[in-house]
Amino acid sequence: MSKDTSSHSPIHVIGGGLAGSEAAWQIAEAGVPVVLHEMRGVRGTDAHKTDGLAELVCSNSFRSDDATSNAVGVLHAEMRLAGSLIMKAADANQVPAGGALAVDRDGFSDAVTAAIAGHPLITVVREEIRGLPPKEWDLAVIATGPLTAPDLAESIRQETGADALAFFDAIAPIVYTETIDMDICWYQSRYDKVGPGGTGKDYINCPMNEEQYNAFIDALVAGDKTGFKEWEGTPYFDGCLPIEVMAERGRETLRYGPMKPMGLTNAHNPTVKAYAVVQLRQDNALGTLYNMVGFQTKLKYGAQAEVFRMIPGLENAEFARLGGLHRNTYINSPTLLDGTLTLKSRPGLRFAGQITGCEGYVESASIGLLAGRFAAAQRKGEELITPPATTAFGALLNHITGGHIVSDDEPGKRSFQPMNVNFGLFPPLDPGAITKPEGVKRFRGKEKAAAKKQATAARALSDCAAWLNG
């Protein structure tokens, strides 16, 4: 297919991950040509395995798809309203995952790559951009993610005059399904929840009694771990803590976290409640691979195989991929970016995705979507209107560009950290937005909290639709 040059000068997007791919798509769909620069194929990273666009390097889950009472689900819905390529590809390559939206990672990446390659206004160039975009590019978006190549990262540091913040991120192991002992394990979603494309039996569950759990915790804490002396002082992102770090925080921590047994009944022994449960989630459409939910780790490979085979049902497990740890970087966006994601020191240059300090696939893609829309509007001479703060788009954008600035009386305080979208980022509801249901005498606690989430979600989707309709 020949590329249409359009009447506009192209906008350059650096980085072909989720954010960069979404930014390029939004720009092109607005009628502006795009040059998408991706270094994979020329130079790899510490975490990527392919040169496909929008490759998922960690989990294959986009998390909750509930748009009525979950902030991530609301963000899903807003992205669909905005014509998101990432959500279209995710929906087309969905695998069962209870109430979550999970995808076949290869099918998802292939779909994004094909869509980008087939768009008449997008040109993909495989090359490493070693410095900031040249001034003649005029408008550009940097969406190189947390694994930005060293030369470009150094150029960003020199331009901003501020050191990039950094945190550790971890990857969970993936197991070949045929090596899981289903005489011990069973299929069931927590509380039998039937999610998008699910059946209520979307996870493989491995039960532990108290003795097995305690032995596992001891081995996990004692296991040989990867050390990074040159990165000492780099914090972990709390939303992706290594499993052994959680275990070190208290013997019962995992039982109330990723290994909680609630909502599960052992199909092989229904009368006996498991003390703890390890869950595995389908990782590809064929169902031949399952990933260990919440088991991101910094254990060395040999220790991983030894410790994880202590889990009942995984004694003979074979791993398609073992877990790992890498350092991610992000910029201090509240001080460096304006409300349209533009670098204050360099008009026309925007940042998008995880490098801005958002966390999560969907969040990164959504910021790419906004950066793309802002850039396209600027190229076309249109007014740049940011999404209302009441939307998931606006709440996340405000966190990145306006929140958590270090105050003068707290020198050195690290207050801006990567964050997933959550209802705590949304502005409060107007008084009277929640009314007590008819016939209910006492309206508080869980019932009122649920009603508040539902009202916040409904307001967000209504305001997002109005914003998109201009």
Side-chain angles (χ1 to χ4, degrees), residues 206-257:
C206 309
M208 284 185 179
N209 59 33
E210 185 173 4
E211 180 181 358
Q212 291 168 328
Y213 176 80
N214 284 323
F216 176 73
I217 295 298
D218 290 339
L220 197 58
V221 172
D224 194 12
K225 302 170 183 66
T226 301
F228 296 96
K229 291 184 179 180
E230 69 273 25
W231 292 346
E232 287 178 355
T234 300
Y236 292 108
F237 170 57
D238 279 341
C240 200
L241 284 176
I243 191 79
E244 61 277 0
V245 172
M246 285 189 275
E248 290 168 355
R249 293 184 172 183
R251 182 164 290 272
E252 295 293 289
T253 301
L254 295 181
R255 287 191 64 235
Y256 290 91

Short mmCIF file of all heavy atoms in Angstrom, two decimals, residues 206-257:
data_model
loop_
_atom_site.label_atom_id
_atom_site.label_comp_id
_atom_site.label_asym_id
_atom_site.label_seq_id
_atom_site.Cartn_x
_atom_site.Cartn_y
_atom_site.Cartn_z
N CYS A 206 -3.42 -23.81 42.39
CA CYS A 206 -2.54 -24.76 43.06
C CYS A 206 -2.68 -24.57 44.57
O CYS A 206 -2.29 -23.51 45.10
CB CYS A 206 -1.08 -24.52 42.66
SG CYS A 206 -0.79 -24.43 40.87
N PRO A 207 -3.25 -25.56 45.30
CA PRO A 207 -3.52 -25.37 46.72
C PRO A 207 -2.33 -25.72 47.61
O PRO A 207 -1.51 -26.57 47.28
CB PRO A 207 -4.66 -26.37 46.97
CG PRO A 207 -4.34 -27.50 46.03
CD PRO A 207 -3.72 -26.85 44.79
N MET A 208 -2.23 -25.04 48.73
CA MET A 208 -1.21 -25.33 49.73
C MET A 208 -1.86 -25.47 51.10
O MET A 208 -2.77 -24.69 51.44
CB MET A 208 -0.17 -24.20 49.81
CG MET A 208 0.84 -24.14 48.70
SD MET A 208 2.05 -22.84 49.07
CE MET A 208 3.14 -23.00 47.64
N ASN A 209 -1.38 -26.44 51.89
CA ASN A 209 -1.78 -26.48 53.29
C ASN A 209 -0.80 -25.60 54.08
O ASN A 209 0.17 -25.05 53.52
CB ASN A 209 -1.84 -27.91 53.83
CG ASN A 209 -0.50 -28.64 53.72
OD1 ASN A 209 0.56 -28.03 53.83
ND2 ASN A 209 -0.56 -29.96 53.51
N GLU A 210 -1.01 -25.48 55.39
CA GLU A 210 -0.19 -24.57 56.19
C GLU A 210 1.28 -24.99 56.20
O GLU A 210 2.18 -24.14 56.08
CB GLU A 210 -0.72 -24.50 57.62
CG GLU A 210 0.01 -23.50 58.48
CD GLU A 210 -0.65 -23.31 59.84
OE1 GLU A 210 -1.62 -24.03 60.14
OE2 GLU A 210 -0.17 -22.46 60.61
N GLU A 211 1.54 -26.28 56.30
CA GLU A 211 2.92 -26.75 56.32
C GLU A 211 3.63 -26.45 55.00
O GLU A 211 4.78 -25.99 54.98
CB GLU A 211 2.95 -28.25 56.61
CG GLU A 211 4.35 -28.84 56.67
CD GLU A 211 4.35 -30.34 56.94
OE1 GLU A 211 3.26 -30.91 57.12
OE2 GLU A 211 5.44 -30.95 56.94
N GLN A 212 2.93 -26.72 53.89
CA GLN A 212 3.52 -26.44 52.58
C GLN A 212 3.76 -24.95 52.39
O GLN A 212 4.80 -24.54 51.84
CB GLN A 212 2.59 -26.97 51.49
CG GLN A 212 2.50 -28.48 51.43
CD GLN A 212 1.36 -28.97 50.55
OE1 GLN A 212 0.32 -28.30 50.45
NE2 GLN A 212 1.54 -30.12 49.91
N TYR A 213 2.83 -24.13 52.85
CA TYR A 213 2.97 -22.68 52.71
C TYR A 213 4.19 -22.18 53.48
O TYR A 213 4.99 -21.40 52.95
CB TYR A 213 1.71 -21.99 53.21
CG TYR A 213 1.79 -20.48 53.21
CD1 TYR A 213 1.61 -19.75 52.04
CD2 TYR A 213 2.04 -19.77 54.39
CE1 TYR A 213 1.68 -18.35 52.03
CE2 TYR A 213 2.12 -18.38 54.40
CZ TYR A 213 1.93 -17.68 53.22
OH TYR A 213 2.01 -16.31 53.22
N ASN A 214 4.34 -22.60 54.72
CA ASN A 214 5.45 -22.13 55.54
C ASN A 214 6.80 -22.56 54.95
O ASN A 214 7.77 -21.79 54.94
CB ASN A 214 5.31 -22.64 56.96
CG ASN A 214 4.25 -21.87 57.74
OD1 ASN A 214 4.10 -20.67 57.57
ND2 ASN A 214 3.50 -22.56 58.59
N ALA A 215 6.86 -23.80 54.43
CA ALA A 215 8.10 -24.26 53.81
C ALA A 215 8.40 -23.45 52.56
O ALA A 215 9.57 -23.11 52.27
CB ALA A 215 7.98 -25.74 53.46
N PHE A 216 7.37 -23.10 51.81
CA PHE A 216 7.54 -22.31 50.59
C PHE A 216 8.04 -20.90 50.93
O PHE A 216 8.97 -20.39 50.28
CB PHE A 216 6.21 -22.23 49.83
CG PHE A 216 6.24 -21.36 48.60
CD1 PHE A 216 6.91 -21.77 47.46
CD2 PHE A 216 5.62 -20.12 48.60
CE1 PHE A 216 6.95 -20.98 46.33
CE2 PHE A 216 5.66 -19.31 47.48
CZ PHE A 216 6.32 -19.75 46.34
N ILE A 217 7.47 -20.28 51.94
CA ILE A 217 7.89 -18.95 52.34
C ILE A 217 9.36 -18.96 52.78
O ILE A 217 10.15 -18.09 52.41
CB ILE A 217 7.00 -18.39 53.47
CG1 ILE A 217 5.57 -18.19 52.97
CG2 ILE A 217 7.57 -17.09 54.02
CD1 ILE A 217 5.43 -17.18 51.85
N ASP A 218 9.74 -19.97 53.56
CA ASP A 218 11.13 -20.08 54.02
C ASP A 218 12.08 -20.18 52.83
O ASP A 218 13.13 -19.53 52.79
CB ASP A 218 11.29 -21.30 54.93
CG ASP A 218 10.60 -21.13 56.27
OD1 ASP A 218 10.34 -19.97 56.66
OD2 ASP A 218 10.30 -22.15 56.93
N ALA A 219 11.72 -21.01 51.85
CA ALA A 219 12.57 -21.20 50.67
C ALA A 219 12.62 -19.94 49.82
O ALA A 219 13.66 -19.58 49.26
CB ALA A 219 12.05 -22.38 49.84
N LEU A 220 11.50 -19.25 49.72
CA LEU A 220 11.41 -18.03 48.92
C LEU A 220 12.33 -16.94 49.50
O LEU A 220 13.08 -16.28 48.76
CB LEU A 220 9.96 -17.54 48.92
CG LEU A 220 9.52 -16.53 47.86
CD1 LEU A 220 9.76 -17.05 46.46
CD2 LEU A 220 8.05 -16.20 48.06
N VAL A 221 12.29 -16.78 50.80
CA VAL A 221 13.09 -15.75 51.46
C VAL A 221 14.58 -16.10 51.40
O VAL A 221 15.44 -15.22 51.23
CB VAL A 221 12.64 -15.56 52.91
CG1 VAL A 221 13.59 -14.64 53.67
CG2 VAL A 221 11.22 -15.00 52.96
N ALA A 222 14.89 -17.40 51.49
CA ALA A 222 16.28 -17.83 51.51
C ALA A 222 16.88 -18.00 50.13
O ALA A 222 18.10 -18.14 49.98
CB ALA A 222 16.41 -19.16 52.27
N GLY A 223 16.06 -17.99 49.08
CA GLY A 223 16.52 -18.25 47.73
C GLY A 223 17.56 -17.27 47.24
O GLY A 223 17.58 -16.10 47.65
N ASP A 224 18.42 -17.73 46.34
CA ASP A 224 19.51 -16.91 45.79
C ASP A 224 18.93 -15.86 44.84
O ASP A 224 18.23 -16.19 43.88
CB ASP A 224 20.49 -17.82 45.04
CG ASP A 224 21.79 -17.12 44.73
OD1 ASP A 224 22.02 -16.03 45.28
OD2 ASP A 224 22.60 -17.68 43.95
N LYS A 225 19.21 -14.60 45.14
CA LYS A 225 18.58 -13.50 44.41
C LYS A 225 19.60 -12.68 43.61
O LYS A 225 20.78 -12.63 43.96
CB LYS A 225 17.83 -12.58 45.38
CG LYS A 225 16.76 -13.30 46.20
CD LYS A 225 16.21 -12.42 47.30
CE LYS A 225 15.20 -13.20 48.13
NZ LYS A 225 15.83 -14.32 48.89
N THR A 226 19.11 -12.06 42.56
CA THR A 226 19.94 -11.18 41.74
C THR A 226 20.24 -9.91 42.50
O THR A 226 19.35 -9.31 43.11
CB THR A 226 19.22 -10.83 40.43
OG1 THR A 226 18.93 -12.04 39.73
CG2 THR A 226 20.07 -9.93 39.56
N GLY A 227 21.50 -9.47 42.47
CA GLY A 227 21.88 -8.23 43.13
C GLY A 227 22.28 -7.18 42.11
O GLY A 227 22.86 -7.50 41.08
N PHE A 228 21.99 -5.93 42.40
CA PHE A 228 22.33 -4.83 41.50
C PHE A 228 23.00 -3.73 42.31
O PHE A 228 22.38 -2.72 42.64
CB PHE A 228 21.08 -4.28 40.80
CG PHE A 228 20.42 -5.27 39.89
CD1 PHE A 228 19.36 -6.03 40.33
CD2 PHE A 228 20.87 -5.44 38.60
CE1 PHE A 228 18.75 -6.95 39.49
CE2 PHE A 228 20.26 -6.35 37.75
CZ PHE A 228 19.20 -7.11 38.20
N LYS A 229 24.26 -3.93 42.66
CA LYS A 229 24.95 -2.98 43.53
C LYS A 229 25.03 -1.59 42.91
O LYS A 229 24.96 -0.58 43.60
CB LYS A 229 26.35 -3.50 43.86
CG LYS A 229 26.35 -4.73 44.77
CD LYS A 229 27.76 -5.14 45.14
CE LYS A 229 27.74 -6.35 46.07
NZ LYS A 229 29.11 -6.77 46.45
N GLU A 230 25.15 -1.54 41.57
CA GLU A 230 25.28 -0.23 40.94
C GLU A 230 23.96 0.53 40.95
O GLU A 230 23.91 1.71 40.64
CB GLU A 230 25.79 -0.37 39.49
CG GLU A 230 24.81 -1.00 38.51
CD GLU A 230 24.89 -2.53 38.50
OE1 GLU A 230 25.32 -3.11 39.51
OE2 GLU A 230 24.54 -3.13 37.46
N TRP A 231 22.88 -0.16 41.28
CA TRP A 231 21.57 0.49 41.31
C TRP A 231 21.04 0.63 42.74
O TRP A 231 19.85 0.79 42.94
CB TRP A 231 20.57 -0.32 40.48
CG TRP A 231 20.87 -0.29 39.02
CD1 TRP A 231 21.71 0.54 38.36
CD2 TRP A 231 20.32 -1.17 38.03
NE1 TRP A 231 21.74 0.25 37.02
CE2 TRP A 231 20.88 -0.80 36.78
CE3 TRP A 231 19.40 -2.21 38.06
CZ2 TRP A 231 20.57 -1.44 35.60
CZ3 TRP A 231 19.09 -2.85 36.88
CH2 TRP A 231 19.66 -2.48 35.65
N GLU A 232 21.89 0.51 43.73
CA GLU A 232 21.44 0.61 45.12
C GLU A 232 20.74 1.95 45.34
O GLU A 232 21.19 2.98 44.87
CB GLU A 232 22.62 0.45 46.08
CG GLU A 232 23.12 -0.99 46.15
CD GLU A 232 24.33 -1.12 47.07
OE1 GLU A 232 24.81 -0.09 47.56
OE2 GLU A 232 24.78 -2.26 47.28
N GLY A 233 19.67 1.91 46.10
CA GLY A 233 18.89 3.12 46.34
C GLY A 233 17.71 3.25 45.39
O GLY A 233 16.82 4.06 45.62
N THR A 234 17.67 2.45 44.32
CA THR A 234 16.54 2.47 43.40
C THR A 234 15.37 1.74 44.06
O THR A 234 15.51 0.59 44.47
CB THR A 234 16.89 1.76 42.08
OG1 THR A 234 17.99 2.45 41.48
CG2 THR A 234 15.72 1.78 41.12
N PRO A 235 14.21 2.38 44.17
CA PRO A 235 13.08 1.74 44.86
C PRO A 235 12.33 0.78 43.95
O PRO A 235 12.48 0.81 42.72
CB PRO A 235 12.19 2.93 45.21
CG PRO A 235 12.43 3.91 44.11
CD PRO A 235 13.90 3.76 43.73
N TYR A 236 11.52 -0.07 44.56
CA TYR A 236 10.59 -0.91 43.79
C TYR A 236 9.30 -0.14 43.57
O TYR A 236 8.91 0.70 44.38
CB TYR A 236 10.26 -2.19 44.56
CG TYR A 236 11.42 -3.14 44.70
CD1 TYR A 236 12.05 -3.32 45.93
CD2 TYR A 236 11.88 -3.87 43.61
CE1 TYR A 236 13.12 -4.20 46.07
CE2 TYR A 236 12.95 -4.75 43.74
CZ TYR A 236 13.56 -4.90 44.97
OH TYR A 236 14.62 -5.76 45.08
N PHE A 237 8.65 -0.42 42.45
CA PHE A 237 7.30 0.09 42.24
C PHE A 237 6.36 -0.82 43.01
O PHE A 237 6.32 -2.02 42.80
CB PHE A 237 6.94 0.10 40.75
CG PHE A 237 5.49 0.39 40.49
CD1 PHE A 237 4.91 1.54 40.97
CD2 PHE A 237 4.71 -0.52 39.79
CE1 PHE A 237 3.57 1.80 40.74
CE2 PHE A 237 3.37 -0.26 39.55
CZ PHE A 237 2.80 0.90 40.03
N ASP A 238 5.57 -0.23 43.94
CA ASP A 238 4.74 -1.04 44.84
C ASP A 238 3.72 -1.89 44.10
O ASP A 238 3.27 -2.91 44.61
CB ASP A 238 4.02 -0.15 45.86
CG ASP A 238 4.93 0.22 47.03
OD1 ASP A 238 5.94 -0.49 47.23
OD2 ASP A 238 4.64 1.21 47.73
N GLY A 239 3.32 -1.48 42.89
CA GLY A 239 2.34 -2.26 42.15
C GLY A 239 2.93 -3.48 41.49
O GLY A 239 2.19 -4.26 40.89
N CYS A 240 4.24 -3.68 41.58
CA CYS A 240 4.88 -4.81 40.91
C CYS A 240 6.04 -5.33 41.74
O CYS A 240 7.13 -5.55 41.24
CB CYS A 240 5.35 -4.39 39.52
SG CYS A 240 5.62 -5.77 38.38
N LEU A 241 5.81 -5.53 43.04
CA LEU A 241 6.86 -6.00 43.93
C LEU A 241 7.24 -7.44 43.63
O LEU A 241 6.36 -8.27 43.37
CB LEU A 241 6.39 -5.91 45.39
CG LEU A 241 6.35 -4.54 46.04
CD1 LEU A 241 5.77 -4.66 47.44
CD2 LEU A 241 7.74 -3.92 46.11
N PRO A 242 8.52 -7.77 43.67
CA PRO A 242 8.92 -9.17 43.57
C PRO A 242 8.27 -9.99 44.68
O PRO A 242 8.10 -9.50 45.81
CB PRO A 242 10.45 -9.12 43.73
CG PRO A 242 10.82 -7.75 43.28
CD PRO A 242 9.70 -6.87 43.73
N ILE A 243 7.91 -11.22 44.38
CA ILE A 243 7.19 -12.07 45.32
C ILE A 243 7.99 -12.27 46.60
O ILE A 243 7.44 -12.29 47.71
CB ILE A 243 6.84 -13.43 44.65
CG1 ILE A 243 5.86 -14.23 45.51
CG2 ILE A 243 8.08 -14.23 44.33
CD1 ILE A 243 4.45 -13.76 45.38
N GLU A 244 9.31 -12.38 46.48
CA GLU A 244 10.13 -12.61 47.68
C GLU A 244 10.24 -11.35 48.54
O GLU A 244 10.40 -11.44 49.76
CB GLU A 244 11.53 -13.12 47.29
CG GLU A 244 12.34 -12.20 46.44
CD GLU A 244 12.02 -12.30 44.96
OE1 GLU A 244 11.14 -13.11 44.59
OE2 GLU A 244 12.65 -11.57 44.18
N VAL A 245 10.13 -10.17 47.93
CA VAL A 245 10.12 -8.93 48.71
C VAL A 245 8.84 -8.84 49.54
O VAL A 245 8.86 -8.44 50.71
CB VAL A 245 10.27 -7.71 47.79
CG1 VAL A 245 10.07 -6.41 48.57
CG2 VAL A 245 11.64 -7.71 47.13
N MET A 246 7.73 -9.25 48.95
CA MET A 246 6.47 -9.30 49.70
C MET A 246 6.58 -10.29 50.85
O MET A 246 6.12 -10.01 51.97
CB MET A 246 5.31 -9.67 48.77
CG MET A 246 4.87 -8.56 47.86
SD MET A 246 3.33 -8.96 46.98
CE MET A 246 3.98 -9.87 45.58
N ALA A 247 7.19 -11.45 50.59
CA ALA A 247 7.33 -12.46 51.63
C ALA A 247 8.18 -11.95 52.79
O ALA A 247 7.91 -12.27 53.96
CB ALA A 247 7.95 -13.73 51.05
N GLU A 248 9.19 -11.16 52.49
CA GLU A 248 10.07 -10.62 53.53
C GLU A 248 9.35 -9.62 54.42
O GLU A 248 9.79 -9.35 55.54
CB GLU A 248 11.29 -9.96 52.89
CG GLU A 248 12.25 -10.96 52.25
CD GLU A 248 13.29 -10.29 51.37
OE1 GLU A 248 13.21 -9.05 51.19
OE2 GLU A 248 14.19 -11.00 50.87
N ARG A 249 8.22 -9.10 53.96
CA ARG A 249 7.47 -8.11 54.74
C ARG A 249 6.61 -8.75 55.82
O ARG A 249 6.00 -8.06 56.63
CB ARG A 249 6.62 -7.25 53.80
CG ARG A 249 7.45 -6.37 52.89
CD ARG A 249 6.60 -5.45 52.05
NE ARG A 249 7.44 -4.49 51.33
CZ ARG A 249 6.96 -3.51 50.55
NH1 ARG A 249 5.65 -3.36 50.40
NH2 ARG A 249 7.79 -2.68 49.95
N GLY A 250 6.52 -10.06 55.82
CA GLY A 250 5.72 -10.75 56.84
C GLY A 250 5.26 -12.10 56.33
O GLY A 250 4.92 -12.24 55.15
N ARG A 251 5.25 -13.10 57.20
CA ARG A 251 4.93 -14.47 56.78
C ARG A 251 3.54 -14.59 56.18
O ARG A 251 3.30 -15.42 55.30
CB ARG A 251 5.08 -15.40 57.99
CG ARG A 251 4.83 -16.88 57.67
CD ARG A 251 5.36 -17.76 58.77
NE ARG A 251 6.82 -17.73 58.78
CZ ARG A 251 7.57 -18.56 58.06
NH1 ARG A 251 7.02 -19.45 57.26
NH2 ARG A 251 8.88 -18.49 58.11
N GLU A 252 2.62 -13.76 56.62
CA GLU A 252 1.25 -13.88 56.15
C GLU A 252 0.93 -12.96 54.96
O GLU A 252 -0.17 -12.98 54.43
CB GLU A 252 0.27 -13.56 57.30
CG GLU A 252 0.33 -14.55 58.46
CD GLU A 252 -0.17 -15.92 58.04
OE1 GLU A 252 -1.38 -16.07 57.83
OE2 GLU A 252 0.67 -16.84 57.91
N THR A 253 1.91 -12.15 54.55
CA THR A 253 1.65 -11.15 53.50
C THR A 253 1.09 -11.78 52.23
O THR A 253 0.11 -11.29 51.66
CB THR A 253 2.94 -10.37 53.17
OG1 THR A 253 3.42 -9.74 54.35
CG2 THR A 253 2.69 -9.32 52.11
N LEU A 254 1.68 -12.87 51.78
CA LEU A 254 1.24 -13.47 50.51
C LEU A 254 -0.15 -14.11 50.63
O LEU A 254 -0.89 -14.17 49.65
CB LEU A 254 2.26 -14.51 50.04
CG LEU A 254 3.64 -13.96 49.67
CD1 LEU A 254 4.56 -15.07 49.20
CD2 LEU A 254 3.51 -12.89 48.60
N ARG A 255 -0.50 -14.59 51.83
CA ARG A 255 -1.83 -15.18 52.03
C ARG A 255 -2.93 -14.14 51.92
O ARG A 255 -4.10 -14.48 51.70
CB ARG A 255 -1.92 -15.86 53.40
CG ARG A 255 -1.16 -17.16 53.51
CD ARG A 255 -1.52 -17.89 54.81
NE ARG A 255 -2.93 -18.26 54.80
CZ ARG A 255 -3.79 -17.92 55.75
NH1 ARG A 255 -3.42 -17.17 56.78
NH2 ARG A 255 -5.04 -18.32 55.69
N TYR A 256 -2.56 -12.89 52.10
CA TYR A 256 -3.54 -11.81 51.96
C TYR A 256 -3.29 -10.99 50.70
O TYR A 256 -3.88 -9.94 50.49
CB TYR A 256 -3.50 -10.90 53.20
CG TYR A 256 -4.04 -11.59 54.43
CD1 TYR A 256 -3.19 -12.30 55.28
CD2 TYR A 256 -5.40 -11.58 54.72
CE1 TYR A 256 -3.68 -12.96 56.40
CE2 TYR A 256 -5.90 -12.23 55.84
CZ TYR A 256 -5.04 -12.92 56.67
OH TYR A 256 -5.55 -13.57 57.77
N GLY A 257 -2.41 -11.50 49.85
CA GLY A 257 -2.09 -10.87 48.58
C GLY A 257 -2.33 -11.83 47.44
O GLY A 257 -3.43 -12.39 47.32
#
